[in-house]
Amino acid sequence: MADATLDATDREILELLREDARRTLSDIATRVTLSTAAVKRRIDRMQELGVILGYTVQVDHAKLGWGVEAFIELRFLGTSGVDEIIQTTTRMPEAQAVFTIAGDPDALVWLRVRDMAHLQRTIDEIRRSHRVTSTKTLIALDSWMRGRR
């Protein structure tokens, strides 16, 4: 979708939803000075265009016992395809996201684990893939994400 199809009000509505997806249409309408019906039409249109893909809940993973975040750079055999690279970790519950990268490394995997022993077991499991030639692990000390409270 081209940027030109969203105006400043659409972007403001998106930002309000990113801050709190449970925000009422009435609250959004007040903030953007439109009627509730107009806000609903805009949100529906952005969903139809695929700009809004869904709604989610933010979870404090540390309170669930999965408070350690790490990123692992993966390098693969030169004959590995992108699908193979992604499939190496997507079946693992620890993998939060996999990014294939142009250049070196081949992929960056965002992991969430319980503790350092769990991280070590997860890294060992990834390394057992015969396509992975090397790894580099970066442990996150803190984080900030747009739209996260």
Side-chain angles (χ1 to χ4, degrees), residues 7-58:
D7 63 17
T9 303
D10 290 330
R11 292 178 192 286
E12 190 174 355
I13 291 169
L14 280 174
E15 189 56 35
L16 289 167
L17 287 171
R18 284 181 58 156
E19 289 171 4
D20 182 359
R22 293 182 56 172
R23 191 181 300 271
T24 65
L25 293 174
S26 176
D27 179 57
I28 296 169
T30 299
R31 292 171 186 262
V32 299
T33 63
L34 288 175
S35 70
T36 302
V39 168
K40 173 134 179 41
R41 280 193 303 274
R42 284 173 178 258
I43 291 172
D44 289 347
R45 182 176 58 82
M46 288 188 281
Q47 288 174 332
E48 289 169 14
L49 291 170
V51 172
I52 296 175
L53 300 175
Y55 300 87
T56 187
V57 63
Q58 295 175 8

mmCIF file of all heavy atoms in Angstrom, residues 7-58:
data_model
loop_
_atom_site.group_PDB
_atom_site.id
_atom_site.type_symbol
_atom_site.label_atom_id
_atom_site.label_comp_id
_atom_site.label_asym_id
_atom_site.label_seq_id
_atom_site.Cartn_x
_atom_site.Cartn_y
_atom_site.Cartn_z
ATOM 1 N N ASP A 7 -3.832 9.748 5.399
ATOM 2 C CA ASP A 7 -3.617 11.161 5.699
ATOM 3 C C ASP A 7 -3.186 11.308 7.162
ATOM 4 O O ASP A 7 -3.029 10.310 7.888
ATOM 5 C CB ASP A 7 -4.867 11.992 5.382
ATOM 6 C CG ASP A 7 -6.084 11.620 6.217
ATOM 7 O OD1 ASP A 7 -5.920 10.958 7.263
ATOM 8 O OD2 ASP A 7 -7.193 12.006 5.824
ATOM 9 N N ALA A 8 -2.990 12.524 7.595
ATOM 10 C CA ALA A 8 -2.505 12.788 8.949
ATOM 11 C C ALA A 8 -3.472 12.254 10.006
ATOM 12 O O ALA A 8 -3.039 11.746 11.055
ATOM 13 C CB ALA A 8 -2.270 14.286 9.134
ATOM 14 N N THR A 9 -4.757 12.340 9.746
ATOM 15 C CA THR A 9 -5.741 11.835 10.707
ATOM 16 C C THR A 9 -5.663 10.316 10.817
ATOM 17 O O THR A 9 -5.719 9.759 11.915
ATOM 18 C CB THR A 9 -7.170 12.282 10.317
ATOM 19 O OG1 THR A 9 -7.188 13.710 10.244
ATOM 20 C CG2 THR A 9 -8.187 11.811 11.325
ATOM 21 N N ASP A 10 -5.507 9.620 9.678
ATOM 22 C CA ASP A 10 -5.333 8.165 9.703
ATOM 23 C C ASP A 10 -4.106 7.803 10.546
ATOM 24 O O ASP A 10 -4.157 6.879 11.367
ATOM 25 C CB ASP A 10 -5.137 7.608 8.289
ATOM 26 C CG ASP A 10 -6.383 7.678 7.439
ATOM 27 O OD1 ASP A 10 -7.494 7.606 7.991
ATOM 28 O OD2 ASP A 10 -6.237 7.803 6.205
ATOM 29 N N ARG A 11 -3.029 8.510 10.355
ATOM 30 C CA ARG A 11 -1.790 8.232 11.093
ATOM 31 C C ARG A 11 -1.978 8.486 12.594
ATOM 32 O O ARG A 11 -1.453 7.738 13.420
ATOM 33 C CB ARG A 11 -0.633 9.047 10.540
ATOM 34 C CG ARG A 11 -0.239 8.605 9.145
ATOM 35 C CD ARG A 11 0.895 9.469 8.569
ATOM 36 N NE ARG A 11 1.059 9.219 7.170
ATOM 37 C CZ ARG A 11 1.601 8.129 6.646
ATOM 38 N NH1 ARG A 11 2.035 7.168 7.424
ATOM 39 N NH2 ARG A 11 1.698 7.991 5.340
ATOM 40 N N GLU A 12 -2.729 9.526 12.920
ATOM 41 C CA GLU A 12 -3.004 9.819 14.326
ATOM 42 C C GLU A 12 -3.857 8.702 14.948
ATOM 43 O O GLU A 12 -3.601 8.261 16.072
ATOM 44 C CB GLU A 12 -3.713 11.169 14.450
ATOM 45 C CG GLU A 12 -3.820 11.665 15.872
ATOM 46 C CD GLU A 12 -4.400 13.074 15.977
ATOM 47 O OE1 GLU A 12 -4.637 13.721 14.937
ATOM 48 O OE2 GLU A 12 -4.622 13.507 17.116
ATOM 49 N N ILE A 13 -4.836 8.223 14.200
ATOM 50 C CA ILE A 13 -5.665 7.111 14.671
ATOM 51 C C ILE A 13 -4.800 5.864 14.885
ATOM 52 O O ILE A 13 -4.921 5.177 15.908
ATOM 53 C CB ILE A 13 -6.820 6.829 13.678
ATOM 54 C CG1 ILE A 13 -7.834 7.979 13.709
ATOM 55 C CG2 ILE A 13 -7.496 5.488 13.987
ATOM 56 C CD1 ILE A 13 -8.864 7.945 12.581
ATOM 57 N N LEU A 14 -3.916 5.583 13.947
ATOM 58 C CA LEU A 14 -3.016 4.432 14.089
ATOM 59 C C LEU A 14 -2.163 4.553 15.344
ATOM 60 O O LEU A 14 -1.991 3.578 16.090
ATOM 61 C CB LEU A 14 -2.107 4.301 12.867
ATOM 62 C CG LEU A 14 -2.716 3.660 11.637
ATOM 63 C CD1 LEU A 14 -1.737 3.731 10.477
ATOM 64 C CD2 LEU A 14 -3.122 2.230 11.908
ATOM 65 N N GLU A 15 -1.622 5.729 15.579
ATOM 66 C CA GLU A 15 -0.767 5.932 16.750
ATOM 67 C C GLU A 15 -1.576 5.750 18.041
ATOM 68 O O GLU A 15 -1.095 5.127 18.993
ATOM 69 C CB GLU A 15 -0.100 7.303 16.724
ATOM 70 C CG GLU A 15 0.960 7.481 17.791
ATOM 71 C CD GLU A 15 2.061 6.426 17.770
ATOM 72 O OE1 GLU A 15 2.446 5.948 16.681
ATOM 73 O OE2 GLU A 15 2.529 6.045 18.862
ATOM 74 N N LEU A 16 -2.792 6.257 18.073
ATOM 75 C CA LEU A 16 -3.641 6.074 19.251
ATOM 76 C C LEU A 16 -3.930 4.585 19.483
ATOM 77 O O LEU A 16 -3.907 4.109 20.625
ATOM 78 C CB LEU A 16 -4.945 6.858 19.087
ATOM 79 C CG LEU A 16 -4.805 8.381 19.177
ATOM 80 C CD1 LEU A 16 -6.076 9.067 18.699
ATOM 81 C CD2 LEU A 16 -4.437 8.820 20.586
ATOM 82 N N LEU A 17 -4.177 3.836 18.421
ATOM 83 C CA LEU A 17 -4.413 2.394 18.545
ATOM 84 C C LEU A 17 -3.142 1.658 18.961
ATOM 85 O O LEU A 17 -3.204 0.684 19.712
ATOM 86 C CB LEU A 17 -4.966 1.826 17.244
ATOM 87 C CG LEU A 17 -6.414 2.189 16.935
ATOM 88 C CD1 LEU A 17 -6.791 1.750 15.519
ATOM 89 C CD2 LEU A 17 -7.367 1.590 17.963
ATOM 90 N N ARG A 18 -2.001 2.119 18.465
ATOM 91 C CA ARG A 18 -0.736 1.491 18.869
ATOM 92 C C ARG A 18 -0.482 1.697 20.354
ATOM 93 O O ARG A 18 0.046 0.821 21.024
ATOM 94 C CB ARG A 18 0.426 2.041 18.057
ATOM 95 C CG ARG A 18 0.467 1.471 16.651
ATOM 96 C CD ARG A 18 1.623 1.996 15.889
ATOM 97 N NE ARG A 18 2.860 1.684 16.590
ATOM 98 C CZ ARG A 18 4.030 1.589 16.009
ATOM 99 N NH1 ARG A 18 4.138 1.799 14.720
ATOM 100 N NH2 ARG A 18 5.112 1.317 16.696
ATOM 101 N N GLU A 19 -0.852 2.859 20.868
ATOM 102 C CA GLU A 19 -0.677 3.131 22.294
ATOM 103 C C GLU A 19 -1.607 2.265 23.131
ATOM 104 O O GLU A 19 -1.237 1.817 24.208
ATOM 105 C CB GLU A 19 -0.970 4.604 22.594
ATOM 106 C CG GLU A 19 0.074 5.554 22.084
ATOM 107 C CD GLU A 19 -0.359 7.011 22.221
ATOM 108 O OE1 GLU A 19 -1.444 7.286 22.785
ATOM 109 O OE2 GLU A 19 0.381 7.885 21.738
ATOM 110 N N ASP A 20 -2.837 2.066 22.645
ATOM 111 C CA ASP A 20 -3.824 1.281 23.385
ATOM 112 C C ASP A 20 -4.877 0.768 22.408
ATOM 113 O O ASP A 20 -5.793 1.493 22.029
ATOM 114 C CB ASP A 20 -4.489 2.136 24.472
ATOM 115 C CG ASP A 20 -5.486 1.351 25.310
ATOM 116 O OD1 ASP A 20 -5.694 0.149 25.061
ATOM 117 O OD2 ASP A 20 -6.062 1.959 26.235
ATOM 118 N N ALA A 21 -4.747 -0.488 22.001
ATOM 119 C CA ALA A 21 -5.664 -1.066 21.012
ATOM 120 C C ALA A 21 -7.074 -1.238 21.554
ATOM 121 O O ALA A 21 -8.002 -1.463 20.787
ATOM 122 C CB ALA A 21 -5.130 -2.413 20.516
ATOM 123 N N ARG A 22 -7.256 -1.105 22.872
ATOM 124 C CA ARG A 22 -8.584 -1.229 23.468
ATOM 125 C C ARG A 22 -9.260 0.138 23.630
ATOM 126 O O ARG A 22 -10.363 0.225 24.149
ATOM 127 C CB ARG A 22 -8.479 -1.916 24.825
ATOM 128 C CG ARG A 22 -8.046 -3.367 24.672
ATOM 129 C CD ARG A 22 -7.998 -4.057 25.988
ATOM 130 N NE ARG A 22 -9.298 -3.963 26.651
ATOM 131 C CZ ARG A 22 -9.607 -4.597 27.754
ATOM 132 N NH1 ARG A 22 -8.728 -5.374 28.333
ATOM 133 N NH2 ARG A 22 -10.793 -4.461 28.306
ATOM 134 N N ARG A 23 -8.602 1.175 23.142
ATOM 135 C CA ARG A 23 -9.170 2.519 23.214
ATOM 136 C C ARG A 23 -10.517 2.533 22.502
ATOM 137 O O ARG A 23 -10.669 1.932 21.446
ATOM 138 C CB ARG A 23 -8.192 3.478 22.517
ATOM 139 C CG ARG A 23 -8.484 4.931 22.712
ATOM 140 C CD ARG A 23 -7.476 5.780 21.965
ATOM 141 N NE ARG A 23 -6.107 5.596 22.366
ATOM 142 C CZ ARG A 23 -5.499 6.287 23.344
ATOM 143 N NH1 ARG A 23 -6.162 7.184 24.018
ATOM 144 N NH2 ARG A 23 -4.238 6.072 23.610
ATOM 145 N N THR A 24 -11.488 3.208 23.060
ATOM 146 C CA THR A 24 -12.824 3.224 22.453
ATOM 147 C C THR A 24 -12.848 4.128 21.225
ATOM 148 O O THR A 24 -12.060 5.076 21.105
ATOM 149 C CB THR A 24 -13.885 3.728 23.452
ATOM 150 O OG1 THR A 24 -13.619 5.096 23.759
ATOM 151 C CG2 THR A 24 -13.910 2.878 24.716
ATOM 152 N N LEU A 25 -13.770 3.823 20.319
ATOM 153 C CA LEU A 25 -13.962 4.676 19.142
ATOM 154 C C LEU A 25 -14.320 6.091 19.568
ATOM 155 O O LEU A 25 -13.873 7.068 18.954
ATOM 156 C CB LEU A 25 -15.046 4.106 18.232
ATOM 157 C CG LEU A 25 -14.719 2.784 17.544
ATOM 158 C CD1 LEU A 25 -15.940 2.273 16.785
ATOM 159 C CD2 LEU A 25 -13.528 2.924 16.629
ATOM 160 N N SER A 26 -15.089 6.211 20.623
ATOM 161 C CA SER A 26 -15.496 7.516 21.125
ATOM 162 C C SER A 26 -14.280 8.323 21.591
ATOM 163 O O SER A 26 -14.159 9.528 21.289
ATOM 164 C CB SER A 26 -16.486 7.340 22.273
ATOM 165 O OG SER A 26 -16.816 8.575 22.841
ATOM 166 N N ASP A 27 -13.367 7.679 22.296
ATOM 167 C CA ASP A 27 -12.155 8.364 22.761
ATOM 168 C C ASP A 27 -11.302 8.807 21.570
ATOM 169 O O ASP A 27 -10.808 9.935 21.540
ATOM 170 C CB ASP A 27 -11.353 7.443 23.680
ATOM 171 C CG ASP A 27 -10.068 8.106 24.165
ATOM 172 O OD1 ASP A 27 -10.152 9.190 24.773
ATOM 173 O OD2 ASP A 27 -8.985 7.526 23.918
ATOM 174 N N ILE A 28 -11.131 7.923 20.609
ATOM 175 C CA ILE A 28 -10.351 8.269 19.413
ATOM 176 C C ILE A 28 -11.008 9.439 18.689
ATOM 177 O O ILE A 28 -10.333 10.398 18.293
ATOM 178 C CB ILE A 28 -10.194 7.051 18.479
ATOM 179 C CG1 ILE A 28 -9.384 5.950 19.166
ATOM 180 C CG2 ILE A 28 -9.544 7.465 17.157
ATOM 181 C CD1 ILE A 28 -9.398 4.631 18.435
ATOM 182 N N ALA A 29 -12.314 9.365 18.522
ATOM 183 C CA ALA A 29 -13.046 10.427 17.826
ATOM 184 C C ALA A 29 -12.836 11.776 18.498
ATOM 185 O O ALA A 29 -12.612 12.795 17.819
ATOM 186 C CB ALA A 29 -14.535 10.083 17.766
ATOM 187 N N THR A 30 -12.891 11.801 19.811
ATOM 188 C CA THR A 30 -12.669 13.048 20.549
ATOM 189 C C THR A 30 -11.267 13.585 20.296
ATOM 190 O O THR A 30 -11.085 14.786 20.052
ATOM 191 C CB THR A 30 -12.873 12.812 22.068
ATOM 192 O OG1 THR A 30 -14.211 12.380 22.274
ATOM 193 C CG2 THR A 30 -12.602 14.071 22.864
ATOM 194 N N ARG A 31 -10.281 12.709 20.307
ATOM 195 C CA ARG A 31 -8.886 13.121 20.151
ATOM 196 C C ARG A 31 -8.570 13.605 18.737
ATOM 197 O O ARG A 31 -7.693 14.434 18.558
ATOM 198 C CB ARG A 31 -7.952 11.995 20.561
ATOM 199 C CG ARG A 31 -8.009 11.714 22.043
ATOM 200 C CD ARG A 31 -7.225 10.451 22.386
ATOM 201 N NE ARG A 31 -7.365 10.089 23.758
ATOM 202 C CZ ARG A 31 -6.482 10.387 24.713
ATOM 203 N NH1 ARG A 31 -5.403 11.069 24.412
ATOM 204 N NH2 ARG A 31 -6.700 10.004 25.940
ATOM 205 N N VAL A 32 -9.245 13.067 17.736
ATOM 206 C CA VAL A 32 -8.952 13.469 16.344
ATOM 207 C C VAL A 32 -10.025 14.399 15.780
ATOM 208 O O VAL A 32 -9.992 14.731 14.598
ATOM 209 C CB VAL A 32 -8.747 12.242 15.416
ATOM 210 C CG1 VAL A 32 -7.568 11.398 15.883
ATOM 211 C CG2 VAL A 32 -10.007 11.414 15.282
ATOM 212 N N THR A 33 -10.950 14.775 16.625
ATOM 213 C CA THR A 33 -12.053 15.679 16.260
ATOM 214 C C THR A 33 -12.848 15.217 15.032
ATOM 215 O O THR A 33 -13.047 15.964 14.084
ATOM 216 C CB THR A 33 -11.585 17.144 16.104
ATOM 217 O OG1 THR A 33 -10.655 17.234 15.043
ATOM 218 C CG2 THR A 33 -10.979 17.685 17.392
ATOM 219 N N LEU A 34 -13.269 13.969 15.093
ATOM 220 C CA LEU A 34 -14.165 13.387 14.091
ATOM 221 C C LEU A 34 -15.315 12.719 14.823
ATOM 222 O O LEU A 34 -15.245 12.496 16.029
ATOM 223 C CB LEU A 34 -13.445 12.331 13.243
ATOM 224 C CG LEU A 34 -12.409 12.774 12.226
ATOM 225 C CD1 LEU A 34 -11.761 11.546 11.606
ATOM 226 C CD2 LEU A 34 -13.017 13.656 11.169
ATOM 227 N N SER A 35 -16.336 12.337 14.087
ATOM 228 C CA SER A 35 -17.426 11.564 14.686
ATOM 229 C C SER A 35 -16.956 10.129 14.898
ATOM 230 O O SER A 35 -16.015 9.658 14.248
ATOM 231 C CB SER A 35 -18.652 11.579 13.775
ATOM 232 O OG SER A 35 -18.393 10.816 12.611
ATOM 233 N N THR A 36 -17.621 9.442 15.790
ATOM 234 C CA THR A 36 -17.314 8.033 16.042
ATOM 235 C C THR A 36 -17.485 7.214 14.757
ATOM 236 O O THR A 36 -16.656 6.345 14.453
ATOM 237 C CB THR A 36 -18.220 7.479 17.158
ATOM 238 O OG1 THR A 36 -18.023 8.274 18.327
ATOM 239 C CG2 THR A 36 -17.896 6.042 17.485
ATOM 240 N N ALA A 37 -18.534 7.501 14.000
ATOM 241 C CA ALA A 37 -18.778 6.773 12.748
ATOM 242 C C ALA A 37 -17.640 6.992 11.748
ATOM 243 O O ALA A 37 -17.215 6.053 11.065
ATOM 244 C CB ALA A 37 -20.109 7.206 12.143
ATOM 245 N N ALA A 38 -17.137 8.214 11.668
ATOM 246 C CA ALA A 38 -16.036 8.510 10.733
ATOM 247 C C ALA A 38 -14.761 7.772 11.143
ATOM 248 O O ALA A 38 -14.033 7.242 10.291
ATOM 249 C CB ALA A 38 -15.789 10.015 10.675
ATOM 250 N N VAL A 39 -14.502 7.714 12.440
ATOM 251 C CA VAL A 39 -13.333 6.977 12.928
ATOM 252 C C VAL A 39 -13.481 5.497 12.600
ATOM 253 O O VAL A 39 -12.546 4.856 12.125
ATOM 254 C CB VAL A 39 -13.133 7.197 14.450
ATOM 255 C CG1 VAL A 39 -12.116 6.218 15.018
ATOM 256 C CG2 VAL A 39 -12.712 8.631 14.721
ATOM 257 N N LYS A 40 -14.668 4.941 12.828
ATOM 258 C CA LYS A 40 -14.905 3.521 12.519
ATOM 259 C C LYS A 40 -14.676 3.237 11.039
ATOM 260 O O LYS A 40 -14.048 2.239 10.681
ATOM 261 C CB LYS A 40 -16.322 3.115 12.916
ATOM 262 C CG LYS A 40 -16.675 1.700 12.459
ATOM 263 C CD LYS A 40 -17.324 0.895 13.504
ATOM 264 C CE LYS A 40 -17.718 -0.496 13.106
ATOM 265 N NZ LYS A 40 -16.823 -1.253 12.309
ATOM 266 N N ARG A 41 -15.181 4.126 10.170
ATOM 267 C CA ARG A 41 -14.976 3.942 8.711
ATOM 268 C C ARG A 41 -13.487 3.955 8.374
ATOM 269 O O ARG A 41 -13.025 3.138 7.570
ATOM 270 C CB ARG A 41 -15.702 5.036 7.930
ATOM 271 C CG ARG A 41 -17.190 4.795 7.765
ATOM 272 C CD ARG A 41 -17.824 5.724 6.735
ATOM 273 N NE ARG A 41 -17.632 7.144 7.042
ATOM 274 C CZ ARG A 41 -18.425 7.868 7.839
ATOM 275 N NH1 ARG A 41 -19.476 7.305 8.410
ATOM 276 N NH2 ARG A 41 -18.176 9.145 8.042
ATOM 277 N N ARG A 42 -12.745 4.867 8.987
ATOM 278 C CA ARG A 42 -11.301 4.950 8.710
ATOM 279 C C ARG A 42 -10.582 3.685 9.186
ATOM 280 O O ARG A 42 -9.723 3.148 8.481
ATOM 281 C CB ARG A 42 -10.701 6.188 9.367
ATOM 282 C CG ARG A 42 -11.025 7.468 8.620
ATOM 283 C CD ARG A 42 -10.544 8.684 9.412
ATOM 284 N NE ARG A 42 -10.793 9.909 8.696
ATOM 285 C CZ ARG A 42 -9.868 10.597 8.012
ATOM 286 N NH1 ARG A 42 -8.630 10.147 7.943
ATOM 287 N NH2 ARG A 42 -10.183 11.704 7.388
ATOM 288 N N ILE A 43 -10.926 3.212 10.368
ATOM 289 C CA ILE A 43 -10.301 1.990 10.890
ATOM 290 C C ILE A 43 -10.661 0.801 10.004
ATOM 291 O O ILE A 43 -9.785 -0.002 9.640
ATOM 292 C CB ILE A 43 -10.698 1.750 12.357
ATOM 293 C CG1 ILE A 43 -10.042 2.815 13.250
ATOM 294 C CG2 ILE A 43 -10.292 0.345 12.812
ATOM 295 C CD1 ILE A 43 -10.515 2.794 14.692
ATOM 296 N N ASP A 44 -11.922 0.680 9.634
ATOM 297 C CA ASP A 44 -12.348 -0.409 8.739
ATOM 298 C C ASP A 44 -11.584 -0.358 7.421
ATOM 299 O O ASP A 44 -11.142 -1.386 6.903
ATOM 300 C CB ASP A 44 -13.852 -0.341 8.475
ATOM 301 C CG ASP A 44 -14.704 -0.714 9.687
ATOM 302 O OD1 ASP A 44 -14.140 -1.272 10.667
ATOM 303 O OD2 ASP A 44 -15.914 -0.422 9.663
ATOM 304 N N ARG A 45 -11.416 0.855 6.864
ATOM 305 C CA ARG A 45 -10.689 1.007 5.602
ATOM 306 C C ARG A 45 -9.236 0.582 5.762
ATOM 307 O O ARG A 45 -8.687 -0.128 4.911
ATOM 308 C CB ARG A 45 -10.765 2.470 5.117
ATOM 309 C CG ARG A 45 -10.058 2.694 3.769
ATOM 310 C CD ARG A 45 -10.222 4.125 3.261
ATOM 311 N NE ARG A 45 -9.719 5.132 4.173
ATOM 312 C CZ ARG A 45 -8.434 5.502 4.267
ATOM 313 N NH1 ARG A 45 -7.530 4.951 3.499
ATOM 314 N NH2 ARG A 45 -8.070 6.435 5.117
ATOM 315 N N MET A 46 -8.604 0.975 6.872
ATOM 316 C CA MET A 46 -7.200 0.592 7.092
ATOM 317 C C MET A 46 -7.064 -0.914 7.288
ATOM 318 O O MET A 46 -6.063 -1.503 6.880
ATOM 319 C CB MET A 46 -6.612 1.369 8.270
ATOM 320 C CG MET A 46 -6.367 2.842 7.924
ATOM 321 S SD MET A 46 -5.476 3.765 9.188
ATOM 322 C CE MET A 46 -6.770 4.092 10.378
ATOM 323 N N GLN A 47 -8.095 -1.560 7.848
ATOM 324 C CA GLN A 47 -8.075 -3.021 7.960
ATOM 325 C C GLN A 47 -8.209 -3.656 6.577
ATOM 326 O O GLN A 47 -7.491 -4.603 6.247
ATOM 327 C CB GLN A 47 -9.193 -3.507 8.884
ATOM 328 C CG GLN A 47 -8.923 -3.193 10.338
ATOM 329 C CD GLN A 47 -10.084 -3.535 11.247
ATOM 330 O OE1 GLN A 47 -11.241 -3.525 10.830
ATOM 331 N NE2 GLN A 47 -9.778 -3.841 12.497
ATOM 332 N N GLU A 48 -9.132 -3.133 5.759
ATOM 333 C CA GLU A 48 -9.322 -3.665 4.402
ATOM 334 C C GLU A 48 -8.068 -3.496 3.547
ATOM 335 O O GLU A 48 -7.753 -4.363 2.723
ATOM 336 C CB GLU A 48 -10.505 -2.975 3.731
ATOM 337 C CG GLU A 48 -11.850 -3.367 4.306
ATOM 338 C CD GLU A 48 -12.992 -2.477 3.817
ATOM 339 O OE1 GLU A 48 -12.794 -1.730 2.843
ATOM 340 O OE2 GLU A 48 -14.075 -2.536 4.427
ATOM 341 N N LEU A 49 -7.351 -2.386 3.743
ATOM 342 C CA LEU A 49 -6.125 -2.133 2.984
ATOM 343 C C LEU A 49 -4.946 -2.965 3.489
ATOM 344 O O LEU A 49 -3.905 -3.028 2.847
ATOM 345 C CB LEU A 49 -5.756 -0.643 3.048
ATOM 346 C CG LEU A 49 -6.685 0.317 2.314
ATOM 347 C CD1 LEU A 49 -6.336 1.769 2.659
ATOM 348 C CD2 LEU A 49 -6.590 0.097 0.812
ATOM 349 N N GLY A 50 -5.116 -3.589 4.643
ATOM 350 C CA GLY A 50 -4.025 -4.376 5.208
ATOM 351 C C GLY A 50 -3.037 -3.554 6.012
ATOM 352 O O GLY A 50 -1.964 -4.052 6.369
ATOM 353 N N VAL A 51 -3.351 -2.298 6.304
ATOM 354 C CA VAL A 51 -2.479 -1.475 7.143
ATOM 355 C C VAL A 51 -2.580 -1.957 8.588
ATOM 356 O O VAL A 51 -1.575 -2.142 9.262
ATOM 357 C CB VAL A 51 -2.860 0.025 7.046
ATOM 358 C CG1 VAL A 51 -2.084 0.859 8.049
ATOM 359 C CG2 VAL A 51 -2.622 0.532 5.634
ATOM 360 N N ILE A 52 -3.796 -2.177 9.064
ATOM 361 C CA ILE A 52 -4.019 -2.760 10.385
ATOM 362 C C ILE A 52 -4.177 -4.259 10.178
ATOM 363 O O ILE A 52 -5.116 -4.708 9.522
ATOM 364 C CB ILE A 52 -5.273 -2.165 11.069
ATOM 365 C CG1 ILE A 52 -5.081 -0.665 11.322
ATOM 366 C CG2 ILE A 52 -5.563 -2.907 12.368
ATOM 367 C CD1 ILE A 52 -6.327 0.025 11.878
ATOM 368 N N LEU A 53 -3.236 -5.015 10.736
ATOM 369 C CA LEU A 53 -3.229 -6.460 10.536
ATOM 370 C C LEU A 53 -3.943 -7.213 11.640
ATOM 371 O O LEU A 53 -4.314 -8.370 11.469
ATOM 372 C CB LEU A 53 -1.786 -6.964 10.435
ATOM 373 C CG LEU A 53 -0.967 -6.374 9.297
ATOM 374 C CD1 LEU A 53 0.479 -6.852 9.384
ATOM 375 C CD2 LEU A 53 -1.587 -6.746 7.958
ATOM 376 N N GLY A 54 -4.105 -6.577 12.788
ATOM 377 C CA GLY A 54 -4.742 -7.243 13.910
ATOM 378 C C GLY A 54 -4.498 -6.463 15.176
ATOM 379 O O GLY A 54 -3.904 -5.390 15.160
ATOM 380 N N TYR A 55 -4.945 -7.019 16.272
ATOM 381 C CA TYR A 55 -4.802 -6.396 17.579
ATOM 382 C C TYR A 55 -4.148 -7.404 18.497
ATOM 383 O O TYR A 55 -4.316 -8.607 18.340
ATOM 384 C CB TYR A 55 -6.174 -5.962 18.107
ATOM 385 C CG TYR A 55 -6.832 -4.957 17.183
ATOM 386 C CD1 TYR A 55 -7.599 -5.374 16.106
ATOM 387 C CD2 TYR A 55 -6.641 -3.601 17.370
ATOM 388 C CE1 TYR A 55 -8.183 -4.464 15.239
ATOM 389 C CE2 TYR A 55 -7.220 -2.675 16.509
ATOM 390 C CZ TYR A 55 -7.988 -3.108 15.448
ATOM 391 O OH TYR A 55 -8.550 -2.201 14.590
ATOM 392 N N THR A 56 -3.394 -6.917 19.464
ATOM 393 C CA THR A 56 -2.635 -7.821 20.308
ATOM 394 C C THR A 56 -2.633 -7.338 21.747
ATOM 395 O O THR A 56 -3.065 -6.232 22.041
ATOM 396 C CB THR A 56 -1.194 -7.967 19.769
ATOM 397 O OG1 THR A 56 -0.527 -8.971 20.515
ATOM 398 C CG2 THR A 56 -0.424 -6.667 19.857
ATOM 399 N N VAL A 57 -2.107 -8.157 22.613
ATOM 400 C CA VAL A 57 -1.966 -7.810 24.018
ATOM 401 C C VAL A 57 -0.469 -7.761 24.339
ATOM 402 O O VAL A 57 0.313 -8.534 23.788
ATOM 403 C CB VAL A 57 -2.704 -8.834 24.914
ATOM 404 C CG1 VAL A 57 -2.124 -10.221 24.779
ATOM 405 C CG2 VAL A 57 -2.711 -8.403 26.362
ATOM 406 N N GLN A 58 -0.077 -6.825 25.189
ATOM 407 C CA GLN A 58 1.315 -6.748 25.622
ATOM 408 C C GLN A 58 1.459 -7.540 26.907
ATOM 409 O O GLN A 58 0.668 -7.390 27.830
ATOM 410 C CB GLN A 58 1.717 -5.292 25.840
ATOM 411 C CG GLN A 58 1.694 -4.486 24.564
ATOM 412 C CD GLN A 58 1.969 -3.009 24.811
ATOM 413 O OE1 GLN A 58 2.317 -2.605 25.905
ATOM 414 N NE2 GLN A 58 1.801 -2.223 23.778
#
